[in-house]
Amino acid sequence: MPNQVTYRVFDFLKEIEPFSYLDQEALLRVAARVEVRYQPPGTVVFRPGEPPRDRFFVVKEGTIELYSEDQDGNELLIERCGEGEIFGIRPLLAEDNYVFLARAAEESLLYAVNSEGFRDLITNYPRVLEYLMTSMAGSSRYAVEYRASTSPARVDRRHSASSPDLQSLQSVQQSREPVVCGPDESIINAARTMTEHGVGSIVIVDTERRPVGIVTDRDLRRSVATAVVSRQAAVSTIMSKPVLCIAAGASIADIQIRMLRSGYHHLVLTEDGTDKSPVTGVVSEHDLLLAQGNSPAVLIQEISRARSSRYLRELRDRAERILAGYLEKQVAISHITAVMTQINDEIIRKCMKLALARMQADGHGNPPALFDWLALGSQGRGEQLLRTDQDNALIFEDVPEAKYNTVKAYFLKLADFVTEFLNDAGYQYCDGDMMASNPKWCLSVSKWKEQFSHWMHENTAENMLNTSIFFDYRGVWGDGSLPDKLTTHIFDEMASQSTRFQASLAQAALQNPSPLTFFRNFVVERSGEHKDQFDLKARAMRPLTDAARVLILQARKGNVNNTFRRYEALAEIEPQNADLYREAAEAYEVLIRLRADIGLKRGDSGRFIKPEELSQVQRLLLRNSFNPVKEIQQLLEIRFQLNFLR
């Protein structure tokens, strides 16, 4: 039975990637093996050259600084790791020694995660693999770490930092030509060949150029450098076999996953992906690091180091190029939304840091109370791919009534700066003023509870509209505990009243009927700026998001904001409707992809589309997505007996 410490560790890790991708049972097993470490200021966590000792670290409190050394032996600060950040994982998974010096910059508390249990989970949780793939191969910290652990001669000069976006999705057909030799070649000659070509591996092939083994720098160090094997011996005596092969057209993402699963650091490319066909190339883990110069992880690092909101606009422009590459390569929407949400969140956090610095510079001091910045609407659901207008709010802890106005005035000023910086970054001000800079949406916990209670008891059309926006909240910056208090309050209110609120919310979800209920053709706007255009958001996407919100509230399932995740959760809760919920999730993915495609091509939000601008395939996909909309709305009508409310 888990003890209290295990549960505390569990509660902290469940909000942090990649632990958040584990189910409760698996994460409890990980948490039970965590060692809590106290690090006084200035104490060393690990030093360069030390083995990783089956542990990697998560910062619970405080700050850990990672240092490397320059040629003169001076310490160079590589990165500061704060609360919730992970460090020391790459050497562990790559079976290398530490390259950095890790030292506590202040009094710190660390969770040392036992890698043995964590390794066992990796292959069973694809999203954990996906996270490690991105962070290990994309993070600038890991790039420095890898460069520090390899000699200059091993760098393939044909790769450069100017490689285009989304290298992780490119095929590796253009990787360097493999350096090969026969199995009877001497070790010393094979080593000379590797040095001449500036590579870290040589593939051992038979007479038909089929791979039979591979020798790497590591093999040479472990055998020849330690005098275990004579340098004149045949290279076949130290080669690793069998080699891990993959087809020449595989993407770098595929290769990264194969490497993580197998523990191999080199893959041999062959014509058919097996060792029964000739070698066409070779790719190493180091090659992947060089190819990731403009990956999402690197972009997020740049955002965190940006010094102005105007530069954030440039970085967000780069994010849209990443998005375009993902869409072109038909990457799963769940992955795309996860990446873009991380980028958007990091921009919000950077704008908050800039705003807090501005408050300090203007003499307003530090925040007078705990607070959380809430993302609302599509960003609150983690579904915002394109830059739309801002939807946000601010919640702060309850303070004495005498201090309330002063505290609120501080946060309104802070919100002014944040929304200004977000606007500079390309997120336009909300026309409806649904922003934290509006006094109506900058409230204490108690005031927010009163606001939510009012909406839930007075079910007017305006209140239902506000509910549809504000009930999709998600904390992006701050204390972290305040949004949960709102969630608890919502469910308490629902338990204390009849189903009238839920029925009213369901009724509001039917305000935009499925286009199939009109005519066979698309329902277009009849007047106004968007005359003869189809409203993709209102006619197709909003009915699905509204229905998912109502149903997940009825199921009392909190902290599930994303529409896809809501339908996935509902499929588990209601097996009898699982097929419908999965179809609704698939339809929503089609709609998000279509809107992003259109928006990127036109340079707008992609909300309104002209039927004639769609390809035949797009029209068919769009039309097919209308069926789940209609069926979900019929389910709402029956479940909440909405016919009796009309």
Side-chain angles (χ1 to χ4, degrees):
M1 180 70 115
N3 56 33
Q4 296 255 343
V5 174
T6 297
Y7 279 118
R8 283 201 297 271
V9 174
F10 170 86
D11 286 337
F12 182 76
L13 294 182
K14 70 180 182 181
E15 305 297 333
I16 298 171
E17 294 179 301
F19 304 103
S20 58
Y21 303 139
L22 302 176
D23 58 40
Q24 180 173 331
E25 181 181 352
L27 184 51
L28 278 172
R29 292 201 303 271
V30 172
R33 299 168 65 89
V34 165
E35 175 189 344
V36 182
R37 292 189 180 182
Y38 170 69
Q39 296 285 155
T43 57
V44 172
V45 183
F46 53 74
R47 299 179 184 278
E50 293 181 352
R53 298 188 298 276
D54 296 329
R55 292 284 189 276
F56 65 94
F57 303 93
V58 183
V59 181
K60 173 63 170 66
E61 297 174 9
T63 304
I64 301 296
E65 293 180 335
L66 303 179
Y67 292 90
S68 66
E69 288 188 356
D70 62 17
Q71 293 179 346
D72 298 324
N74 300 314
E75 289 186 351
L76 298 175
L77 178 63
I78 299 299
E79 188 168 357
R80 289 187 176 91
C81 301
E83 180 179 333
E85 293 193 83
I86 298 173
F87 66 98
I89 193 169
R90 198 213 65 82
L92 191 93
L93 296 179
E95 297 181 351
D96 281 339
N97 293 337
Y98 291 119
V99 171
F100 295 142
L101 169 70
R103 185 167 57 214
E106 57 185 329
E107 190 175 48
S108 302
L109 198 64
L110 306 180
Y111 286 161
V113 182
N114 189 301
S115 66
E116 183 178 348
F118 189 74
R119 278 175 181 269
D120 296 339
L121 295 171
I122 289 178
T123 55
N124 297 323
Y125 291 87
R127 294 195 69 191
V128 174
L129 269 175
E130 195 173 86
Y131 172 86
L132 294 175
M133 172 188 74
T134 301
S135 62
M136 285 182 63
S139 165
S140 58
R141 181 213 311 173
Y142 293 127
V144 172
E145 192 168 14
Y146 218 101
R147 283 199 298 272
S149 64
T150 52
S151 64
R154 295 176 61 184
V155 177
D156 183 359
R157 301 300 180 187
R158 277 172 284 181
H159 291 288
S160 72
S162 61
S163 301
D165 291 346
L166 287 174
Q167 290 282 349
S168 62
L169 299 170
Q170 288 185 325
S171 71
V172 289
Q173 291 173 330
Q174 300 303 315
S175 67
R176 65 173 182 263
E177 284 294 317
V179 176
V180 302
C181 72
D184 296 328
E185 188 69 72
S186 69
I187 293 173
I188 185 63
N189 285 341
R192 286 172 179 161
T193 301
M194 290 167 61
T195 301
E196 289 170 2
H197 288 83
V199 296
S201 65
I202 188 167
V203 182
I204 315 305
V205 298
D206 62 15
T207 56
E208 296 184 17
R209 203 178 166 83
R210 295 176 301 198
V212 296
I214 188 169
V215 170
T216 67
D217 278 347
R218 182 176 301 182
D219 296 321
L220 294 174
R221 290 196 302 270
R222 289 178 177 175
S223 56
V224 180
T226 56
V228 173
V229 179
S230 167
R231 294 183 298 172
Q232 301 301 326
V235 73
S236 59
T237 60
I238 64 168
M239 71 182 184
S240 298
K241 61 178 182 179
V243 292
L244 188 61
C245 298
I246 195 167
S251 70
I252 292 181
D254 291 333
I255 292 173
Q256 288 169 320
I257 291 174
R258 288 286 296 278
M259 284 183 176
L260 283 170
R261 284 178 174 163
S262 65
Y264 283 57
H265 305 291
H266 295 77
L267 294 187
V268 174
L269 310 174
T270 62
E271 291 179 357
D272 66 0
T274 74
D275 59 5
K276 306 302 181 186
S277 63
V279 174
T280 62
V282 64
V283 63
S284 70
E285 191 176 39
H286 184 51
D287 295 329
L288 302 187
L289 288 167
L290 292 174
Q292 291 290 329
N294 210 10
S295 73
V298 171
L299 182 60
I300 288 173
Q301 286 285 336
E302 289 194 48
I303 291 170
S304 69
R305 294 168 181 161
R307 296 186 178 181
S308 72
S309 53
R310 294 305 175 108
Y311 183 49
L312 291 177
R313 181 187 288 266
E314 296 179 26
L315 296 176
R316 189 55 176 80
D317 289 342
R318 282 171 53 185
E320 291 193 356
R321 293 197 291 273
I322 289 177
L323 171 62
Y326 275 168
L327 293 171
E328 180 183 355
K329 298 292 184 180
Q330 294 294 307
V331 176
I333 283 292
S334 59
H335 177 80
I336 297 177
T337 54
V339 169
M340 297 305 294
T341 296
Q342 288 181 11
I343 291 172
N344 288 326
D345 284 358
E346 192 61 33
I347 289 175
I348 293 172
R349 286 191 281 267
K350 172 51 67 171
C351 288
M352 177 60 71
K353 292 176 183 177
L354 292 172
L356 288 168
R358 179 74 174 273
M359 293 291 284
Q360 288 277 5
D362 289 356
H364 298 292
N366 294 319
L370 298 177
F371 74 100
D372 276 289
W373 184 270
L374 305 178
L376 308 174
S378 60
Q379 180 60 9
R381 294 191 299 271
E383 299 167 2
Q384 187 182 68
L385 299 186
L386 303 173
R387 274 172 289 191
T388 56
D389 60 354
Q390 299 181 43
D391 286 312
N392 47 59
L394 190 146
I395 180 174
F396 55 91
E397 67 177 335
D398 288 329
V399 296
E401 191 64 32
K403 296 183 178 180
Y404 184 84
N405 289 337
T406 302
V407 171
K408 180 170 180 173
Y410 177 94
F411 286 121
L412 283 173
K413 187 65 178 175
L414 176 67
D416 276 338
F417 287 139
V418 176
T419 53
E420 175 189 339
F421 294 147
L422 285 171
N423 185 67
D424 290 343
Y427 301 85
Q428 297 179 356
Y429 292 119
C430 175
D431 290 338
D433 206 14
M434 296 288 189
M435 297 184 295
S437 53
N438 183 337
K440 293 170 62 177
W441 316 131
C442 178
L443 303 170
S444 67
V445 173
S446 294
K447 298 291 186 183
W448 270 117
K449 288 180 178 180
E450 291 174 9
Q451 181 67 82
F452 278 19
S453 294
H454 171 68
W455 289 338
M456 296 174 74
H457 286 280
E458 300 293 332
N459 305 148
T460 65
E462 181 181 358
N463 286 348
M464 291 300 96
L465 175 61
N466 286 333
T467 299
S468 70
I469 297 171
F470 285 89
F471 273 31
D472 289 340
Y473 57 82
R474 183 171 56 86
V476 178
W477 169 280
D479 175 65
S481 66
L482 305 184
D484 288 340
K485 294 182 179 181
L486 292 184
T487 302
T488 300
H489 177 72
I490 291 171
F491 290 141
D492 288 345
E493 281 284 339
M494 290 175 61
S496 66
Q497 59 174 277
S498 67
T499 59
R500 186 171 63 88
F501 166 68
Q502 296 173 54
S504 297
L505 207 56
Q507 184 70 52
L510 302 185
Q511 294 305 304
N512 290 291
S514 163
L516 287 180
T517 62
F518 289 87
F519 358 79
R520 290 184 178 180
N521 295 322
F522 294 118
V523 181
V524 296
E525 303 303 302
R526 296 184 176 180
S527 60
E529 179 185 357
H530 301 289
K531 186 176 184 293
D532 296 329
Q533 296 181 35
F534 179 76
D535 190 339
L536 189 63
K537 176 181 177 180
R539 294 290 186 187
M541 298 178 71
R542 187 179 293 158
L544 289 173
T545 58
D546 288 350
R549 184 185 307 108
V550 175
L551 293 167
I552 207 72
L553 280 172
Q554 185 195 39
R556 303 291 200 277
K557 188 79 172 177
N559 299 318
V560 183
N561 282 20
N562 183 275
T563 302
F564 315 127
R565 304 288 173 262
R566 283 172 170 171
Y567 281 121
E568 287 177 1
L570 289 166
E572 294 181 5
I573 296 168
E574 302 176 29
Q576 70 277 18
N577 294 315
D579 289 343
L580 172 57
Y581 291 142
R582 292 191 185 102
E583 288 174 6
E586 291 171 4
Y588 195 67
E589 289 190 11
V590 168
L591 296 170
I592 279 194
R593 185 184 296 275
L594 178 59
R595 182 176 178 180
D597 274 330
I598 296 295
L600 284 173
K601 289 176 183 176
R602 292 199 315 228
D604 60 20
S605 71
R607 173 173 177 173
F608 294 93
I609 60 177
K610 297 177 181 179
E612 63 269 18
E613 73 181 328
L614 299 178
S615 67
Q616 186 174 359
V617 172
Q618 287 176 323
R619 289 173 66 91
L620 180 61
L621 288 171
L622 179 57
R623 198 183 301 278
N624 288 343
S625 71
F626 297 160
N627 287 303
V629 174
K630 181 178 180 180
E631 292 181 27
I632 283 287
Q633 292 187 329
Q634 288 174 342
L635 182 147
L636 292 180
E637 284 187 336
I638 296 171
R639 178 165 300 182
F640 295 100
Q641 300 181 0
L642 299 183
N643 289 328
F644 295 102
L645 297 180
R646 295 177 178 174

